Amino acid sequence: MEPYFHRTERDAACYDELRERLPDVLFDAHQHVTLAAYRGTPPRELMEADWAMQCSQGMDIDDMDAYARALFPGIAFRQNAFGAVGRYADLRGGNAYIAELIRKGRIAQGMMVLDPDWDDEECERTLVEGGFAGFKPYPDLVAGNKGADISIFTFVPHSKLRILNRHRRALMLHIPRAGRLADDRNVAELKELRDRYPEIEIIVAHYGRSYAPEVFREGARKLGPYMRELNFDTAAVLNPAVHAMALEVMDPKRILYGTDLPVFLWHGKRRWTQWEYFNLAREDFPWNRHEEGPEAEAGYTFFLYEQLRSILDAAEHSGGGRELAEDILHRNAEALFERIGRD
């Protein structure tokens, strides 16, 4: 487990308040689980440029279970997991570990990290024999940069998409490009994905990397009715306006709760402009400038608790209340994975 991870009295009190509003089950649709042997070592320049890597050294399934017990006592915690996604990682080893966890019932669902250069036959065989729910491609596996200015179809080629479509599986997509969901090329390619591959359950991770409100607003405007045909997960998204807008423009049955663990095990929150976000944390990460100071930081609780509060508040303010919260926090993911074909 991460050496900085600890649960304080402040966290316990915050959780007690949240617990009354939470269901008895949480289904995390987005987390990274792997063994240390498969994580690899990111290049120093990549670590220095990526704040998320600086506070996430990885977790195996035993770590995950310990985190879940500490963060969400009294709640059954289920997940869809996949391995490390960088070019420096042992992707085949990570996929084998996830397949083992699926087989042993240690995780509810798992996805196969996809290297676009792998042979199609190998990909299809691994997908089916491993019992994977789908593919988890990643821009970094082509460009070394998760926000790279590349096409979606560069890191998830059409030949691989045809495999998913044939087997009616899911695609969890971390979209590329600096413009994120609002980028016109991403919008066009998401529409193409939906139209050409109707049997794939498309999950757009991180609300399309919409960590600030205008990214989501613009992307949703450009996607129009397609917003109601795509699934989005909430991983790493804290902004209350984004959660509220999602309930206005999406099919609420297609919103999936996600944590992006083990990235968000720290105490903190965010501030925003309309287009950018800034992390505020208590822990001494290299990226942390402690801009609010120790007195304010003493009042921070877990980022994941702040995220849950935003989701619960959005559900309540929309009029959906507890039923809607239950959908987002576990029932939608359960229904999606039930829809996915199995050979």
Side-chain angles (χ1 to χ4, degrees):
M1 294 178 68
E2 298 284 6
Y4 68 80
F5 178 76
H6 62 284
R7 191 172 189 262
T8 67
E9 291 183 5
R10 163 83 175 110
D11 301 325
C14 180
Y15 180 73
D16 287 344
E17 294 175 7
L18 290 172
R19 183 65 183 92
E20 298 178 0
R21 306 169 65 191
L22 290 171
D24 293 329
V25 178
L26 290 175
F27 194 116
D28 180 0
H30 186 133
Q31 63 174 239
H32 301 266
V33 176
T34 195
L35 293 174
Y38 304 137
R39 291 174 198 155
T41 302
R44 186 180 68 179
E45 60 272 18
L46 188 59
M47 286 283 291
E48 291 175 349
D50 192 323
W51 68 262
M53 286 186 179
Q54 295 173 24
C55 55
S56 171
Q57 301 309 305
M59 68 179 184
D60 60 26
I61 192 60
D62 293 327
D63 291 335
M64 176 62 251
D65 289 344
Y67 290 136
R69 288 192 299 270
L71 287 163
F72 308 114
I75 287 179
F77 194 82
R78 308 178 71 217
Q79 70 269 87
N80 172 51
F82 31 86
V85 291
R87 290 194 292 181
Y88 46 84
D90 179 351
L91 303 184
R92 287 185 173 89
N95 286 335
Y97 180 58
I98 294 295
E100 178 186 359
L101 297 179
I102 295 169
R103 188 166 57 251
K104 292 181 175 179
R106 295 290 303 275
I107 58 176
Q109 301 288 339
M111 285 186 158
M112 171 187 159
V113 176
L114 176 72
D115 185 325
D117 292 332
W118 284 344
D119 177 82
D120 289 350
E121 290 185 6
E122 176 191 358
C123 288
E124 186 164 15
R125 183 173 61 253
T126 303
L127 174 75
V128 174
E129 293 179 358
F132 292 103
F135 291 156
K136 176 67 174 79
Y138 206 63
D140 182 70
L141 294 173
V142 170
N145 177 358
K146 61 189 177 186
D149 188 16
I150 60 174
S151 167
I152 290 170
F153 301 116
T154 301
F155 63 94
V156 53
H158 288 285
S159 65
K160 307 302 192 286
L161 291 165
R162 287 192 288 270
I163 293 170
L164 288 183
N165 198 66
R166 183 161 59 250
H167 292 281
R168 298 174 45 243
R169 302 293 168 93
L171 173 70
M172 177 166 283
L173 192 61
H174 183 111
I175 61 174
R177 301 179 171 121
R180 309 177 188 220
L181 189 66
D183 186 284
D184 289 338
R185 295 163 297 175
N186 283 337
V187 169
E189 290 176 358
L190 284 170
K191 290 179 179 179
E192 181 179 352
L193 268 171
R194 178 68 285 145
D195 291 341
R196 289 185 64 173
Y197 303 105
E199 299 301 326
I200 297 176
E201 286 285 356
I202 300 167
I203 305 168
V204 184
H206 313 290
Y207 275 133
R209 298 170 59 225
S210 298
Y211 310 121
E214 281 304 313
V215 178
F216 188 80
R217 191 188 315 276
E218 274 298 290
R221 181 184 66 79
K222 293 174 181 178
L223 279 163
Y226 284 83
M227 285 295 295
R228 300 188 67 84
E229 299 180 23
L230 299 167
N231 304 285
F232 286 75
D233 79 41
T234 70
V237 177
L238 182 58
N239 190 283
V242 174
H243 291 291
M245 281 189 285
L247 291 174
E248 295 174 0
V249 301
M250 286 185 63
D251 177 351
K253 298 287 189 182
R254 291 187 174 274
I255 300 173
L256 313 177
Y257 173 62
T259 67
D260 210 10
L261 282 171
V263 177
F264 294 100
L265 292 166
W266 40 272
H267 297 81
K269 57 183 182 178
R270 279 179 174 159
R271 62 178 178 85
W272 301 272
T273 66
Q274 288 301 301
W275 290 95
E276 298 181 275
Y277 72 96
F278 305 89
N279 289 324
L280 304 172
R282 179 192 305 165
E283 287 75 10
D284 289 321
F285 302 121
W287 52 263
N288 190 7
R289 300 296 176 260
H290 296 288
E291 64 178 71
E292 290 193 339
E295 185 174 347
E297 290 176 1
Y300 291 175
T301 189
F302 285 120
F303 183 101
L304 292 181
Y305 289 177
E306 297 286 3
Q307 183 199 37
L308 279 170
R309 184 183 290 110
S310 291
I311 294 170
L312 291 167
D313 288 350
E316 182 177 335
H317 295 158
S318 74
R322 190 176 185 88
E323 282 296 305
L324 178 55
E326 294 237 12
D327 284 345
I328 295 170
L329 294 174
H330 73 100
R331 288 195 295 236
N332 290 348
E334 290 162 354
L336 183 148
F337 289 110
E338 183 66 26
R339 291 195 300 272
I340 288 171
R342 286 291 184 268
D343 300 294

